[in-house]
Amino acid sequence: MSVRFYQVGSFAVGNRLVNRSDRTVQSDAERANSLTSGHRACQGCGEALGARYALDAAMRATGGQMVAVNATGCLEVFSTPYPETSWQIAWFHSLFGNAPAVATGVAAALRVKGRSETRVIGQAGDGGTVDIGFGCLSGMFERNDDVLFICYDNEAYMNTGVQRSGATPPAARTATTEAVGPQPGNSFGQGKNMPELAMAHGIPYVATATVADLHDLEDKVTRAMELHGARYIHILVTCPLGWGSAPGDTVKVARLATQTGLFPVFEAEHGEVVRASPIRRPAPVEEYLRLQGRYAHLFDAAGNPARPDIIAALQAMADRNIARYGLLETEAVAP
Amino acid sequence: MLRQIEGSRAVAQTVALCRPEVVCAYPISPQTHIIEALGEMVKKGELSPCEFINVESEFAAMSVAIGASAAGARAFTATASQGLLFMMEAVYNAGGLGLPIVMTLANRAVGAPINIWNDHSDAMAARDAGWVQLFAETIQESADLHIQAFRLAEELSVPVMVCMDGFILTHATEQVDLPSQALVDSFLPPYEPRQVLDPAEPYSIGAMVGPEAFEEVRYLAHARQLTALGRIGELGAEFAETFGRDSGGLVHPYRSADADVIVVAMGSVLGTIKDVVDEQRDAGLRIGALGITSFRPFPIDAVRSALGSARHVVVLEKAFSVGFGGVLSTDVAMALSGLPVSVSTVVAGLGGRPITKVSLRGVFEAALRGESERLTFLDLNVALVERELERMALQRRSGPTAENMLRDLGVVASRIG
Amino acid sequence: MEKPFAITLEVGSSLANKTGSWRVERPVYVDRLPPCNNACPAGENIQQWLYLAEDGSYEAAWRQIMRDNPLPAVMGRACFHPCQTACNRAAVDETVGINAIERFLGDRALQEGWSPDPPGPSTGKRVLVVGSGPGGLSAAYHLRLLGHAVVVFESSPLPGGMMRYGIPSYRLPRDVVASEIARIASMGVEIVCDRTVDDLAQAMEDGRFDAAFLAVGAQRGKHADIPAGDSARILDAVTLLHETEDSEPPVLGRRVVIYGGGDTAMDAARTARRLGAEDAVVVYRRTRERMPANVDEVQDAVDEGVRLKWLSTIVGQAGEVLTIERMELDDDGFPQPTGEIEELHADSVVLALGQEADLSLLGGTPEITVDGGVVPVGADMMTARPGVFAGGDIVEGSRTLTEAIGHGKRAARAIDAWLAGRRLDRPARHELATTEHLNTWYYADAPHSVRPHLEVARRTSTFDEVVGGLDETTALFEARRCMSCGNCFQCDNCFGVCPDNAVMKVEEAHGYRFDYDFCKGCGLCVQECPCGAIEMVPEEI
């Protein structure tokens, strides 16, 4: 019976029992630290974590041959206030809505100079991807430019004070969808499923990931860097400030987003879903909602559901995702 | 080599000789022929190595140029009017970052109301963005300025827009001297970036700068443009030496040395103005003209010295600042401050209205008589506007102004409801 | 060319911004006490030897066990594994099969012939150990390691005490017992059999012993008052087991009743079955849940066909016929007679009502008084007489092999300190690592295909030794299920999960250090540490 079993091997960052080559990039003391200490992100910032995770994996996959183009937003602001930058990679910031187009330009320049082995990453928050950046992103997808675009989705315009974006989920409180009135928080609309929109462009690779599953995130970035053409990765990143969660809960909250089914984790190629990560420890959406102040209005002072109708609607959304992506069909187990 | 060629194509050919590495553009009249020509050259392999990218908006066009330039490539795009406004955030961004992008601005009016014909209102909207703005008088100069533009931009790390009157210059066919590749190469070396995205030597470009250093950064942009003031003249002279003709430079005086009245203008209208000046000089009138080629940086000293001895200056411009008056004339008046020279503004040619010699004669003669009004709208249909103003005063829901006036003019026959 | 002022920034410039100043609390690495370690009566550092076994360092793991317990192969079969009962893994799926892994390591040591650590330099002191059961052997081993000369007097013909004469051989093969005892003897411990100590003080004087450890055990079965007629065949369980081992097993007949509910009763019942009893019935006055016997022992007995008759007492016997009275539990949980009588036929009755110690050897040491059948001792296992220590079944305790081993170790160290005129300082215990401290998400699930194999690991062997033991793959697999509660096992989570890069890998200690220059005190490391080895403490402002 040859069973490989590594105690925490495929879930934790590293493990002395696992071959170094099977450990995450993050476990390596020589990791690139694309985003290093001294940045001004809030305590427990999920975006800072997600950015380092993704870019370090990309640095490893490309042997350090990459440049990053960053849209305006939290990530850009907390990392490059004059006179300090916490980026250790070649990095460029232009505007809020043009990161995909600027990345296209960088890729074109590298190509024309015969340096296509230097790869290009464009990155933005949900605002810069789903709203103001959408036109440029769609253009980049349509041209199949050789850019990996990463969206760090914290589900609102956080840097400007937590205002609603096209990615804000229903019922969530933001400064422009306050938790007041008969329909507190963000309205229930059709949503704007950015990964599906990316898939609709038929680009070579689309994936979703979170900061709660490092192995999965690194695998996806690595996979993306093996391919050429337009690629898109959508990473859910907890924002303790905007979501009203405890700073230490950042990974836990993101994990619950996946385990409830609210945030499905999957990969698609050329418009077809090819793989979905099964839910390992199913949880009801309530467990996820309770950890966040932006959903506090759904519960009363004693902690009982005050708006069971809204909670049920959110649960229905989660259930639909589970059905749609088959998240409970296979046993999720890993050594 | 002399060619009978449409203005747009002459520009395209010349830009191609400048070895651009990334060309990106979004179609808008009247720049389309420039970009189409370049696209064809790239596709055929005549312009190589070069990446030609069809983008999804003007904002994307300038953004792609920004990215390409930041990665060390020579980048070019072209736009006009609405397109320039759509990319305005990126225009300021390129100016602030000091990226040596060269852009052709095929001057066109800015709506509303939508209008595809020539005036200078688009260029005026980008006046403060930190770009060098050069106005070409002729098709030849339009082409030549691009060569100088790349050289100037890359030397000083400042973006340059070459303004050429839409349709008037872009769509006219003339004899143009297109230089050889070798000649252009001798004038324009390969692009050496001041800062470049390179994993081998990483740094962060595009930081957030707060109150403690912002003024300094902006001052440095200003200082670069002041340096450009010197270089533009020098490059014009060097160009003349290399290519054998005058193109560029800061200002071009015409029969203005002993003039009583000097007419100041930019762009193609200078041709008509010079014809009228010649007529009036033949009639013994002391009138001259001054063409301003470099609008930004504004050549204050050169303008002052060229106009300082006249009695009166008429600034004829194809744009105006709504609620105030002239834009160029304000700059000219500033250059002449303290001198006993009066300045009047004539706003002409808006939305492509032809500027006729008859109208110009009237303006110049009034100036020579000392009867210039502070602000004149050339050939304005006064009765038409007075009728509309009356209508607006009587009824709250007086209807769309443009449509009302067009109906009055008989352009629109029907009325529904 | 000079790079543009302020717009362009150099790599590393953010390190000037010491974000550590934001903190109101800081993370610190802690060691918490794993519940297995806490529960082990022998004081084994279970987490540590599992840690060593996990990467295949079996000898290192075995040596870690041997620091506390010299009889792992025995204990891997006979211990009632309170460590497993306490194991936090039960909250995730099943407890870790610690006992079976200990057995695997103990057996491997015997196979490979690993020698124990050599004794320390000779102290010139002589210590007498009375009784070669687990308590006595443990004390002898530890004393020898500390460099003392040790002599063990054993009254039976063979050493081992309850390991040989109390626990049946199908549970604890004799060759295993013999090998592990021989290994202790090979260290220079002198074991003298067939030597009963009648007078401790005299024996100490005669042998010039500087100290003594008493571990004579409770070898006498208690008797109950059962009015019996003649031809009643009544014997006690201890005798039954002893005779089965020693000489010829007694003839019990076809139908055997065992009276009592402890481990000895189970052993007796199962022995009776092996001796040919077709019907072995355990009669116990309370319920199955309240039987003091280990649940695994009870299950094993039931699996072997032993019947359980609870809420019953024997009130009389006439030849083959036993009179049984049915009991009922009152509100306080005590059995009360109901007056309902029934009859049970039995060829013999085995009494397993508890054991008593034979403490006649204390005649010459009157300061040592026996209280309720046990010898009173202090926390250092010393009796009222200086230099005389006691442990195992003769002192207050759980009366298990493991506890005896623990007593032996504690006593040896106390004797060592006493002989040197030192105080024995026992270090303070760390905070217990509970499930609240753990983040169990990270522990890998054992695939279903493997689970049946693992089930075996958690049960002590029954009949067949070979099937019951773990092979290396399953032992390794099982060891790796350990969550290392409260002790860092280098999973790199803290190193990876800090958004501020404020954890450094270092060569010292457990391998990590916090960079307090940049740590913002968010607490993600604490939350995501699988084993609870980090805690937040308030910052001094």
Side-chain angles (χ1 to χ4, degrees):
Chain A
M1 173 183 61
S2 71
V3 182
R4 292 169 359 131
F5 185 78
Y6 299 110
Q7 185 177 41
V8 292
S10 65
F11 293 115
V13 171
N15 188 234
R16 67 199 179 95
L17 301 174
V18 176
N19 290 331
R20 277 190 197 278
S21 56
D22 291 334
R23 298 184 203 177
T24 63
V25 173
Q26 285 304 301
S27 73
D28 187 352
E30 304 300 313
R31 71 189 186 211
N33 280 329
S34 308
L35 183 71
T36 190
S37 318
H39 61 69
R40 295 160 195 231
C42 302
Q43 297 161 313
C45 172
E47 186 158 358
L49 198 59
R52 192 185 73 226
Y53 283 175
L55 293 170
D56 280 2
M59 285 290 279
R60 164 81 65 87
T62 61
Q65 287 299 306
M66 55 159 257
V67 308
V69 173
N70 213 139
T72 307
C74 260
L75 184 59
E76 166 261 325
V77 170
F78 72 60
S79 63
T80 52
Y82 167 82
E84 293 152 12
T85 176
S86 38
W87 295 104
Q88 309 214 87
I89 56 175
W91 181 94
F92 185 68
H93 162 239
S94 172
L95 296 165
F96 198 177
N98 71 359
V102 174
T104 292
V106 173
L110 290 167
R111 197 162 52 245
V112 80
K113 289 186 174 299
R115 288 172 47 204
S116 297
E117 76 283 353
T118 301
R119 310 299 300 281
V120 181
I121 288 186
Q123 53 185 17
D126 49 293
T129 303
V130 163
D131 290 342
I132 196 172
F134 191 72
C136 287
L137 186 63
S138 179
M140 186 272 275
F141 285 165
E142 186 276 320
R143 287 187 300 269
N144 201 29
D145 293 325
D146 192 12
V147 171
L148 166 60
F149 199 85
I150 301 178
C151 172
Y152 302 104
D153 185 6
N154 54 24
E155 301 185 331
Y157 290 98
M158 294 309 186
N159 193 238
T160 43
V162 194
Q163 292 87 18
R164 176 221 190 260
S165 79
T168 302
R173 177 259 160 211
T174 68
T176 46
T177 57
E178 282 287 4
V180 293
Q183 300 299 328
N186 195 28
S187 54
F188 275 81
Q190 328 74 257
K192 191 165 183 181
N193 191 328
M194 192 60 227
E196 291 272 344
L197 287 163
M199 284 162 61
H201 286 74
I203 58 177
Y205 186 75
V206 174
T208 68
T210 75
V211 287
D213 192 339
L214 174 63
H215 286 255
D216 176 70
L217 174 53
E218 290 191 351
D219 285 347
K220 284 167 175 169
V221 171
T222 305
R223 171 96 189 102
M225 295 317 264
E226 286 168 5
L227 304 168
H228 287 264
R231 293 145 286 140
Y232 178 74
I233 299 183
H234 190 109
I235 308 178
L236 182 71
V237 296
T238 313
C239 172
L241 183 88
W243 293 16
S245 55
D249 277 354
T250 288
V251 170
K252 176 177 178 181
V253 169
R255 184 169 293 136
L256 278 168
T258 66
Q259 299 303 291
T260 54
L262 279 171
F263 186 84
V265 178
F266 62 91
E267 282 171 289
E269 290 174 10
H270 298 288
E272 300 290 330
V273 175
V274 295
R275 218 165 355 263
S277 295
I279 290 174
R280 190 179 161 217
R281 290 192 188 172
V285 296
E286 246 185 75
E287 214 176 300
Y288 169 73
L289 301 172
R290 281 182 190 285
L291 292 173
Q292 303 168 62
R294 64 177 175 161
Y295 293 112
H297 52 285
L298 302 179
F299 303 95
D300 63 23
N304 303 312
R307 289 300 301 260
D309 57 324
I310 294 180
I311 296 174
L314 293 170
Q315 185 65 58
M317 273 171 57
D319 293 339
R320 270 197 299 281
N321 283 340
I322 290 172
R324 180 181 193 173
Y325 296 99
L327 302 177
L328 286 174
E329 274 163 33
T330 50
E331 187 199 1
V333 92
Chain B
M1 181 179 70
L2 291 175
R3 297 251 331 256
Q4 194 75 4
I5 189 172
E6 189 195 70
S8 302
R9 296 213 142 254
V11 167
Q13 300 274 17
T14 313
V15 168
L17 290 168
C18 294
R19 302 188 186 276
E21 291 172 293
V22 175
V23 174
C24 49
Y26 188 79
I28 184 168
S29 303
Q31 83 19 346
T32 44
H33 290 178
I34 301 174
I35 291 304
E36 287 164 11
L38 282 165
E40 194 177 343
M41 282 185 251
V42 171
K43 207 152 166 71
K44 281 186 185 166
E46 290 165 6
L47 173 51
S48 172
C50 181
E51 291 283 329
F52 181 83
I53 305 178
N54 283 304
V55 291
E56 65 281 0
S57 75
E58 284 90 351
F59 177 64
M62 182 51 65
S63 301
V64 170
I66 285 171
S69 188
R74 181 170 285 162
F76 171 81
T77 187
T79 193
S81 174
Q82 313 300 134
L84 177 67
L85 295 199
F86 196 72
M87 61 158 71
M88 196 55 85
E89 202 195 357
V91 170
Y92 269 77
N93 189 252
L97 290 173
L99 294 170
I101 299 164
V102 170
M103 173 164 74
T104 310
L105 187 66
N107 297 118
R108 165 181 148 179
V110 175
I114 179 168
N115 171 301
I116 65 167
W117 294 276
N118 163 256
D119 71 24
H120 288 171
S121 50
D122 54 5
M124 295 306 139
R127 183 189 60 173
D128 303 327
W131 284 58
V132 168
Q133 287 182 304
L134 305 173
F135 280 80
E137 184 184 329
T138 61
I139 291 176
Q140 181 69 62
E141 192 171 40
S142 306
D144 292 343
L145 279 178
H146 284 85
I147 304 171
Q148 296 181 44
F150 280 107
R151 173 92 179 265
L152 181 70
E154 289 169 12
E155 208 182 274
L156 296 179
S157 276
V158 63
V160 177
M161 68 176 78
V162 177
C163 300
M164 62 189 292
D165 288 324
F167 287 115
I168 298 172
L169 295 181
T170 56
H171 284 65
T173 304
E174 265 182 21
Q175 192 179 76
V176 181
D177 183 8
L178 296 173
S180 65
Q181 182 69 72
L183 205 55
V184 174
D185 287 344
S186 72
F187 186 84
L188 179 64
Y191 172 32
E192 276 296 323
R194 180 181 186 195
Q195 57 177 351
V196 70
L197 288 171
D198 183 359
E201 202 193 318
Y203 35 81
S204 301
I205 304 174
M208 180 165 82
V209 177
E212 66 280 347
F214 187 80
E215 188 176 352
E216 283 66 31
V217 174
R218 299 306 291 140
Y219 180 81
L220 289 167
H222 175 70
R224 271 207 301 284
Q225 288 237 0
L226 294 179
T227 310
L229 262 181
R231 284 303 286 150
I232 287 170
E234 288 165 9
L235 283 174
E238 194 185 322
F239 185 89
E241 236 185 86
T242 309
F243 292 80
R245 59 174 170 276
D246 277 328
S247 259
L250 294 170
V251 299
H252 293 284
Y254 185 75
R255 305 182 80 165
S256 61
D258 63 340
D260 179 45
V261 168
I262 303 179
V263 182
V264 181
M266 302 193 297
S268 60
V269 72
L270 281 163
T272 319
I273 290 173
K274 284 187 226 174
D275 283 351
V276 177
V277 163
D278 282 343
E279 277 175 18
Q280 294 186 330
R281 273 286 180 180
D282 287 347
L285 299 166
R286 284 177 32 225
I287 188 159
L290 180 70
I292 295 183
T293 306
S294 169
F295 177 60
R296 284 292 180 272
F298 190 77
I300 278 191
D301 295 339
V303 167
R304 188 185 179 84
S305 85
L307 303 176
S309 45
R311 177 185 54 81
H312 181 81
V313 166
V314 174
V315 179
L316 186 126
E317 56 183 298
K318 289 181 171 175
F320 74 110
S321 183
V322 179
F324 175 48
V327 180
L328 176 61
S329 53
T330 309
D331 292 356
V332 169
M334 171 74 102
L336 294 172
S337 63
L339 292 176
V341 184
S342 53
V343 178
S344 62
T345 309
V346 175
V347 175
L350 293 182
R353 179 168 293 179
I355 300 171
T356 62
K357 285 162 71 173
V358 169
S359 304
L360 285 179
R361 264 181 231 127
V363 167
F364 294 177
E365 283 158 10
L368 287 161
R369 286 195 306 271
E371 287 168 11
S372 298
E373 289 180 30
R374 185 187 74 80
L375 172 66
T376 314
F377 283 80
L378 191 65
D379 298 339
L380 182 69
N381 187 333
V382 178
L384 189 63
V385 299
E386 280 181 351
R387 226 179 1 259
E388 180 60 18
L389 285 168
E390 213 179 281
R391 186 181 289 121
M392 278 159 52
L394 286 176
Q395 299 165 251
R396 173 81 186 143
R397 285 248 184 103
S398 51
T401 299
E403 274 67 16
N404 290 341
M405 292 202 294
L406 287 170
R407 207 168 287 115
D408 282 349
L409 282 170
V411 173
V412 175
S414 63
R415 184 190 195 98
I416 297 170
Chain C
M1 228 195 278
E2 266 300 303
K3 288 190 238 333
F5 167 72
I7 293 168
T8 302
L9 302 173
E10 295 294 335
V11 163
S13 42
S14 69
L15 297 175
N17 183 27
K18 309 286 188 200
T19 55
S21 58
W22 298 17
R23 277 198 311 273
V24 292
E25 50 181 13
R26 63 162 59 187
V28 290
Y29 289 109
V30 293
D31 272 325
R32 291 194 167 106
L33 184 61
C36 51
N37 290 17
N38 186 46
C40 176
E44 288 187 17
N45 191 341
I46 295 164
Q47 178 272 332
Q48 181 62 22
W49 60 255
L50 285 174
Y51 177 89
L52 290 164
E54 278 156 11
D55 68 0
S57 304
Y58 302 129
E59 186 173 346
W62 173 76
R63 287 192 185 280
Q64 176 61 52
I65 298 175
M66 291 288 281
R67 273 192 201 107
D68 301 294
N69 168 19
L71 305 163
V74 167
M75 300 319 294
R77 291 163 168 82
C79 184
F80 69 106
H81 46 72
C83 53
Q84 291 184 200
T85 311
C87 177
N88 280 332
R89 182 106 198 184
V92 177
D93 41 31
E94 317 268 359
T95 76
V96 176
I98 300 168
N99 193 241
I101 303 164
E102 178 164 38
R103 175 178 154 168
F104 167 81
L105 291 170
D107 286 351
R108 179 60 71 97
L110 292 174
Q111 271 165 37
E112 301 292 326
W114 293 332
S115 341
D117 287 350
S122 171
T123 61
K125 302 289 185 185
R126 288 171 55 79
V127 181
L128 169 66
V129 173
V130 186
S132 69
L137 289 172
S138 169
Y141 165 79
H142 284 286
L143 285 164
R144 190 72 200 98
L145 273 182
L146 290 163
H148 303 292
V150 183
V151 180
V152 181
F153 287 164
E154 166 56 51
S155 58
S156 292
L158 291 170
M162 273 301 169
M163 297 190 292
R164 183 183 294 279
Y165 294 103
I167 299 175
S169 59
Y170 57 83
R171 264 216 296 145
L172 187 52
R174 294 311 180 232
D175 59 330
V176 173
V177 177
S179 298
E180 293 211 311
I181 295 176
R183 189 170 61 203
I184 294 174
S186 75
M187 295 166 69
V189 170
E190 195 186 333
I191 302 176
V192 184
C193 292
D194 287 315
R195 177 73 170 270
T196 307
V197 174
D198 300 309
D199 185 332
L200 175 65
Q202 194 58 54
M204 285 181 72
E205 207 187 294
D206 290 347
R208 289 171 294 110
F209 290 111
D210 303 297
F213 178 66
L214 309 182
V216 299
Q219 310 267 8
R220 295 202 307 220
K222 286 185 189 163
H223 280 251
D225 247 343
I226 301 174
D230 40 341
S231 78
R233 175 126 179 97
I234 302 180
L235 65 159
D236 73 84
V238 179
T239 309
L240 167 62
L241 296 171
H242 201 113
E243 285 181 6
T244 303
E245 175 64 29
D246 209 15
S247 50
E248 276 183 21
V251 177
L252 296 176
R254 227 172 25 85
R255 301 162 300 183
V256 180
V257 165
I258 299 93
Y259 195 31
D263 286 326
T264 312
M266 296 303 113
D267 285 339
R270 295 165 71 187
T271 300
R273 290 278 291 155
R274 280 165 177 76
L275 293 177
E278 278 168 32
D279 188 23
V281 183
V282 172
V283 171
Y284 177 58
R285 63 199 175 92
R286 293 199 288 181
T287 56
R288 178 167 177 174
E289 291 72 43
R290 291 175 183 276
M291 291 175 94
N294 191 275
V295 294
D296 289 340
E297 309 295 347
V298 175
Q299 188 57 47
D300 286 344
V302 167
D303 288 345
E304 288 174 15
V306 171
R307 288 200 292 131
L308 302 178
K309 194 168 176 59
W310 46 77
L311 289 172
S312 307
T313 56
I314 302 177
V315 290
Q317 182 189 19
E320 287 185 1
V321 181
L322 292 178
T323 323
I324 310 290
E325 179 169 11
R326 198 177 74 77
M327 310 294 275
E328 220 171 52
L329 292 185
D330 63 17
D331 294 329
D332 298 320
F334 290 104
Q336 301 299 337
T338 58
E340 292 167 28
I341 305 291
E342 62 180 292
E343 286 180 353
L344 197 59
H345 292 257
D347 296 313
S348 40
V349 179
V350 178
L351 302 178
L353 302 169
Q355 287 138 248
E356 290 170 332
D358 178 354
L359 295 169
S360 51
L361 79 162
L362 296 175
T365 52
E367 19 351 4
I368 305 177
T369 55
V370 177
D371 182 11
V374 298
V375 178
V377 292
D380 57 356
M381 312 310 293
M382 192 159 77
T383 64
R385 183 181 170 103
V388 176
F389 296 72
D393 287 356
I394 64 171
V395 303
E396 194 65 52
S398 65
R399 296 210 162 176
T400 58
L401 298 191
T402 331
E403 178 133 30
I405 289 176
H407 287 171
K409 178 180 91 176
R410 203 186 314 163
R413 293 184 181 164
I415 291 171
D416 179 66
W418 183 81
L419 288 171
R422 263 186 300 115
R423 256 181 58 83
L424 184 64
D425 284 320
R426 300 183 66 191
R429 300 204 124 187
H430 292 132
E431 182 193 1
L432 196 62
T434 64
T435 49
E436 278 76 51
H437 293 128
L438 307 176
N439 188 334
T440 62
W441 168 269
Y442 289 99
Y443 296 105
D445 309 312
H448 279 125
S449 59
V450 173
R451 284 179 198 164
H453 293 271
L454 300 183
E455 285 305 314
V456 172
R458 272 169 240 108
R459 288 161 59 90
T460 45
S461 64
T462 54
F463 303 81
D464 198 335
E465 268 286 289
V466 174
V467 168
L470 294 177
D471 62 17
E472 183 181 342
T473 315
T474 38
L476 200 57
F477 201 111
E478 193 59 22
R480 287 175 173 185
R481 291 179 66 251
C482 168
M483 303 196 289
S484 193
C485 304
N487 286 263
C488 174
F489 59 106
Q490 291 86 39
C491 78
D492 287 340
N493 260 14
C494 56
F495 180 65
V497 92
C498 176
D500 295 278
N501 245 2
V503 178
M504 302 177 289
K505 281 197 170 180
V506 294
E507 291 297 321
E508 325 81 61
H510 59 286
Y512 308 101
R513 187 152 51 88
F514 290 112
D515 188 349
Y516 292 117
D517 278 347
F518 296 105
C519 165
K520 292 173 182 163
C522 71
L524 260 170
C525 50
V526 175
Q527 276 279 11
E528 301 305 315
C529 174
C531 66
I534 310 175
E535 71 173 351
M536 298 300 279
V537 299
E539 195 60 71
E540 287 123 47
I541 301 177

